[in-house]
């Protein structure tokens, strides 16, 4: 009995939450919900597609801290974002459709400047990095950081990777800094081992 009551309560909570917040987002699609967010900043710059779930205590933000004219975070239809994710756009971050992120993933198109040694880094300006795009169908493993780099379609980013350079479509990349270890070969229709630059061995 108790779980049923909990589920009913949770469903009611999501309905009320969605009703209350829907108009505050740029877009919040049907069947999408965010489970007890840690923080949402710049809600009017955030678009969430249909059937998206964002896990417990995640922090999503789209705030033009680097004075960009346009600033947006777009999360495509069918994405599942894990628990404790931290996704912060100052210019543009796009998650395509059906992207899966595991827990504790960090995605950012900006960084703290540290050029002035006389000022605490937290008091120095935010530096704009490149926009981030994660292609449809990709899977981002546990504890991954993606900073100013894009990832293609149906890629696998292994647990604990730090991605600072673009990863092409249909690649498996691991490590810090992330390097490609496998890529789908359309000729042989198999995943083949590659050099870190993605050349088939
Ligand atoms: C990358 C991953 C998917 C494995 O892919 P795979 O194609 O089966 O790769 P393999 O197991 O054949 O490993 C290939 C090589 O990469 C290494 N490797 C695999 N995952 C790695 C990782 N996360 N970091 C560093 N190296 C890794 C392997 O040790 C192996 O090295 P070797 O060739 O020197 O022996 C898996 O290891 C991984 O990281 N999964 C993410 C799990 C996760 O976060 N789950 C959350 C649930 S949503």
């Amino acid at each position: 009995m108790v779980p049923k009551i909990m589920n009913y309560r949770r469903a009611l909570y999501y309905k009320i939450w969605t009703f209350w917040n829907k108009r505050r987002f740029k877009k919040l699609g049907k069947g999408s919900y965010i489970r007890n967010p840690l923080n949402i900043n710049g809600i009017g710059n955030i678009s969430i597609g249909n059937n998206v779930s964002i896990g417990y205590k995640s922090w999503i933000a789209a705030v033009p801290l680097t004075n960009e004219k346009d600033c947006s975070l777009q999360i495509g239809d069918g994405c599942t974002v894990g628990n404790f994710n931290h996704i912060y756009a100052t210019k543009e971050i796009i998650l395509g459709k059906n992207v899966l992120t595991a827990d504790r993933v960090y995605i950012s198109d900006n960084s703290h400047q540290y050029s002035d040694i006389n000022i605490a880094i937290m008091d120095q300006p935010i530096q704009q990095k490149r926009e981030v795009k994660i292609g449809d169908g990709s899977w981002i493993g546990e504890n991954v950081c993606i900073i100013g780099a894009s990832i293609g379609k149906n890629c696998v980013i292994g647990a604990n990777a730090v991605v600072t350079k673009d990863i092409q479509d249909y690649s498996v990349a691991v490590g810090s800094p992330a390097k490609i270890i496998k890529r789908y070969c359309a000729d042989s229709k198999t995943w083949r081992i590659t050099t870190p630059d993605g050349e088939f061995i």
Side-chain angles (χ1 to χ4, degrees):
M1 279 307 281
V2 175
K4 264 191 180 170
I5 292 167
M6 290 292 284
N7 287 342
Y8 173 73
R9 273 194 181 168
R10 189 174 282 181
L12 186 66
Y13 167 81
Y14 290 137
K15 276 209 160 132
I16 294 168
W17 189 90
T18 304
F19 177 78
W20 193 253
N21 288 290
K22 199 172 168 66
R23 270 161 292 178
R24 299 176 63 218
F25 283 91
K26 190 167 183 186
K27 181 188 166 197
L28 180 63
K30 281 189 185 151
S32 296
Y33 68 90
I34 304 178
R35 195 174 156 214
N36 295 50
L38 177 67
N39 239 327
I40 303 177
N41 304 117
I43 193 166
N45 297 325
I46 299 176
S47 305
I48 294 175
N50 299 322
N51 302 315
V52 170
S53 81
I54 298 182
Y56 182 72
K57 293 290 175 204
S58 286
W59 177 2
I60 57 172
V63 182
L65 297 176
T66 55
N67 300 319
E68 290 291 333
K69 200 164 124 275
D70 298 311
C71 172
S72 68
L73 167 61
Q74 300 168 41
I75 301 179
D77 296 343
C79 285
T80 297
V81 172
N83 302 304
F84 308 104
N85 277 216
H86 180 186
I87 306 178
Y88 206 119
T90 53
K91 185 175 184 188
E92 186 177 71
I93 296 179
I94 302 174
L95 273 61
K97 291 183 182 166
N98 303 314
V99 171
L100 170 63
T101 73
D103 290 354
R104 291 175 293 277
V105 166
Y106 174 66
I107 304 172
S108 169
D109 65 352
N110 61 84
S111 182
H112 287 280
Q113 265 183 40
Y114 56 86
S115 47
D116 191 334
I117 58 159
N118 297 309
I119 302 177
I121 291 167
M122 70 173 175
D123 295 328
Q124 298 195 37
I126 298 294
Q127 173 194 19
Q128 186 62 53
K129 297 263 184 186
R130 288 189 304 140
E131 300 91 314
V132 175
K133 184 163 192 270
I134 302 180
D136 297 350
S138 285
W139 172 33
I140 313 299
E142 204 99 352
N143 296 317
V144 166
C145 293
I146 301 167
I147 305 162
S150 285
I151 290 165
K153 290 183 199 164
N154 269 60
C155 287
V156 177
I157 308 299
N160 300 311
V162 177
V163 182
T164 54
K165 301 230 163 59
D166 293 352
I167 304 290
Q168 57 188 299
D169 291 345
Y170 314 114
S171 298
V172 179
V174 299
S176 173
K179 302 273 185 221
I180 297 174
I181 54 163
K182 290 181 190 178
R183 210 158 56 73
Y184 188 75
C185 170
D187 293 337
S188 64
K189 295 191 169 41
T190 55
W191 288 84
R192 287 177 54 191
I193 294 174
T194 65
T195 65
D197 294 329
E199 298 300 322
F200 293 123
I201 293 173

